[in-house]
Amino acid sequence: LQRMTSQMRYHVVVAQARAVVPLAASMCILCALVFRRVRRNRAIAQHPSPKRRNKQKKKSRREEVEFAPPLDPAYASECYAARKAASTMTSETIRWIEEHAAMLISPREENPAGSLNDGIAASATSTPLVSADLRSLPTLSGIAAAAVDATSAAATKPATFSVLSVGCGDGEFDMALLRSLHAALAAAAQDCTDGKSASCARLHYCALEPNHADAQAFRERINQARNKRELDEETVAYVIEEPFEDKPAKGGQVEATSASAFRSKNQFDLVVLSHVMPYFRDPQAAVQRLVAQTKLGGHILLIHPAAKGAPEIQAEQMRLVKRSEAQMFHFDELKRLLAQQRLQYQLFLLESRLNCTECLNRTAGGIQILSHCLECDLRRLCERKMMRLLKACWRLVNIDEDGGAYLEESAAIFLLGKPVGRK
């Protein structure tokens, strides 16, 4: 019995060994094959064969596009921030705003055709009216009483200086404008208490920005300014996430293109547009509506790139890069449009510089700057067109003594006054 038991144990051990040894051998072989494949892939990645290199080139060509796609909202915000950080245009514009804030809040001087006394004198020397018509007309004492009542009713209401900003972006420029106007109105209020003739008003600032990220950034700037007590409680400032788009309708009226577009019958003392004219589908209708939204004697502050700088790159490369020039609006076109509308304006030119060093080095920030200048996503643009774009940049930039590449550009500030008698 003991002999049989030991033999059975021996056979069981042998059977288990015969089952385990092939399994262990197969695992060892599998590990060796995997290790060999990993080493082979590493060697191919470091030193690819000509056949594999051609396959990689074909795959990269399929991923690239012939024309750059439009910017999505999130990447557009990043491109705008990179473009603004590389240029001195925003700082120069803010400096101009701080110097001319008092001019923006002062009403435009009106030159009416005649005064009330002239009209009364003219009516006294004209042909006498029929007695029946004369009885139906109000007397001079009644007109004077009504004028006094209207004046007293207007005096009881608190004066408000209203501002409409179209396309405020992340609010850096608008925040500087808000602070400057607040300081100018505070100085005017102090002059009023001293007995001088100056307009005392509270500030009401309405900003339009369809991009959610930029609108949220502007709201945070407003909250920070209130926490630092840079804005008082009477100052009203808010952001509406709606576009200011319009199209001409029948009868010469102007209506919004979409249900979510900004609609308001209110008129504003100051309407601000900073680098937004290329985004209007119909710039002429947009200008007409902006004039309609401006009070009589109010101002329209229109900021637009001049002929130098990014417009030169757009004129050469935009059609090549994105197939169309839909979002191009030249400086000369804007001047012709204002002349057609018979709008009088004062023109101020501000010189600035754009740092293009990162653009020529093809860094991520440089691609963002060029993408914002050309209003398209250049990350997937084919290599041939990208090289032509960089060649144009090399031709236009100036190399500084420190080795930086700078593009001379300028901003045009149009200060328009609403003509008397225009609706």
Side-chain angles (χ1 to χ4, degrees):
L1 183 60
Q2 291 179 355
R3 190 183 303 165
M4 292 177 59
T5 303
S6 62
Q7 289 180 356
M8 290 178 61
R9 290 178 179 175
Y10 172 75
H11 289 297
V12 170
V13 172
V14 171
Q16 291 178 353
R18 289 178 179 176
V20 171
V21 169
L23 181 60
S26 59
M27 291 296 294
C28 293
I29 295 172
L30 181 60
C31 291
L33 292 175
V34 171
F35 181 69
R36 181 182 177 185
R37 187 60 180 267
V38 170
R39 290 185 60 185
R40 182 182 178 185
N41 291 341
R42 289 181 179 178
I44 291 176
Q46 295 177 357
H47 306 285
S49 61
K51 185 176 181 180
R52 189 174 184 85
R53 195 181 297 114
N54 294 333
K55 289 183 179 180
Q56 291 178 354
K57 288 183 179 180
K58 291 180 180 179
K59 184 179 179 180
S60 62
R61 288 173 184 172
R62 286 195 301 268
E63 293 178 353
E64 293 177 349
V65 294
E66 186 70 16
F67 296 99
L71 293 170
D72 59 271
Y75 189 64
S77 300
E78 298 177 3
C79 296
Y80 172 71
R83 167 74 165 81
K84 185 174 60 176
S87 176
T88 60
M89 184 179 294
T90 303
S91 60
E92 294 295 333
T93 308
I94 291 175
R95 185 181 305 173
W96 185 92
I97 289 295
E98 294 174 352
E99 295 175 355
H100 298 80
M103 182 175 60
L104 297 178
I105 66 172
S106 61
R108 182 176 181 269
E109 296 181 359
E110 301 179 6
N111 296 319
S115 61
L116 181 61
N117 296 329
D118 295 338
I120 295 175
S123 62
T125 57
S126 60
T127 305
L129 299 175
V130 184
S131 60
D133 297 336
L134 189 60
R135 294 193 194 97
S136 62
L137 292 175
T139 61
L140 290 178
S141 60
I143 295 175
V148 171
D149 294 339
T151 305
S152 61
T156 57
K157 296 182 180 179
T160 302
F161 185 83
S162 55
V163 182
L164 175 64
S165 177
V166 180
C168 61
D170 62 354
E172 181 182 0
F173 165 75
D174 287 74
M175 202 64 224
L177 176 62
L178 188 58
R179 292 191 184 97
S180 301
L181 294 177
H182 181 266
L185 291 173
Q190 187 176 3
D191 293 340
C192 286
T193 58
D194 295 340
K196 299 179 180 179
S197 59
S199 59
C200 308
R202 297 182 303 174
L203 182 59
H204 185 102
Y205 201 96
C206 174
L208 303 180
E209 177 53 52
N211 192 315
H212 176 72
D214 291 338
Q216 195 64 25
F218 191 17
R219 292 191 184 100
E220 293 178 358
R221 292 178 186 271
I222 295 176
N223 295 332
Q224 292 176 2
R226 292 192 183 280
N227 294 334
K228 295 179 180 179
R229 299 187 181 277
E230 296 178 355
L231 302 177
D232 54 13
E233 297 180 355
E234 295 182 352
T235 301
V236 179
Y238 55 91
V239 185
I240 302 177
E241 296 184 23
E242 292 180 356
F244 191 90
E245 297 180 355
D246 43 47
K247 64 179 181 180
K250 295 181 179 180
Q253 300 292 330
V254 177
E255 62 180 11
T257 57
S258 60
S260 62
F262 176 74
R263 290 185 176 93
S264 177
K265 295 182 179 180
N266 298 329
Q267 290 184 325
F268 300 85
D269 297 286
L270 177 63
V271 179
V272 183
L273 296 92
S274 179
H275 303 278
V276 297
M277 287 301 296
Y279 301 101
F280 291 126
R281 298 181 181 178
D282 191 343
Q284 183 176 0
V287 171
Q288 292 175 359
R289 187 180 174 192
L290 289 169
V291 172
Q293 299 271 184
T294 307
K295 291 181 181 180
L296 184 64
H299 297 282
I300 300 177
L301 182 63
L302 201 156
I303 305 173
H304 190 76
K308 294 194 305 181
E312 296 177 317
I313 300 178
Q314 292 176 354
E316 293 184 11
Q317 303 294 323
M318 182 168 282
R319 182 174 292 276
L320 176 70
V321 169
K322 56 182 298 186
R323 189 185 289 178
S324 68
E325 297 179 352
Q327 292 182 340
M328 280 188 61
F329 196 73
H330 295 284
F331 173 69
D332 296 333
E333 294 180 7
L334 180 57
K335 294 175 66 176
R336 284 196 297 268
L337 176 60
L338 298 179
Q340 291 174 0
Q341 298 294 322
R342 297 180 180 179
L343 295 173
Q344 299 179 0
Y345 59 87
Q346 299 179 23
L347 179 60
F348 303 88
L349 293 178
L350 306 180
E351 298 295 332
S352 60
R353 296 202 308 174
L354 175 63
N355 191 344
C356 298
T357 307
E358 294 187 2
C359 301
L360 301 181
N361 293 330
R362 296 188 65 174
T363 61
I367 298 299
Q368 290 176 352
I369 295 172
L370 291 176
S371 297
H372 183 270
C373 292
L374 296 175
E375 298 294 340
C376 58
D377 192 350
L378 299 177
R379 292 176 297 181
R380 294 183 55 193
L381 185 65
C382 62
E383 187 66 18
R384 175 175 54 86
K385 292 188 175 181
M386 191 66 190
M387 293 304 296
R388 292 186 61 176
L389 175 60
L390 293 177
K391 184 178 179 181
C393 293
W394 274 106
R395 188 175 64 255
L396 294 174
V397 300
N398 298 322
I399 306 299
D400 207 349
E401 294 180 356
D402 58 353
Y406 295 93
L407 178 65
E408 301 294 334
E409 58 180 2
S410 57
I413 298 180
F414 295 85
L415 185 60
L416 292 77
K418 185 172 182 179
V420 178
R422 181 185 287 265
K423 297 182 179 179

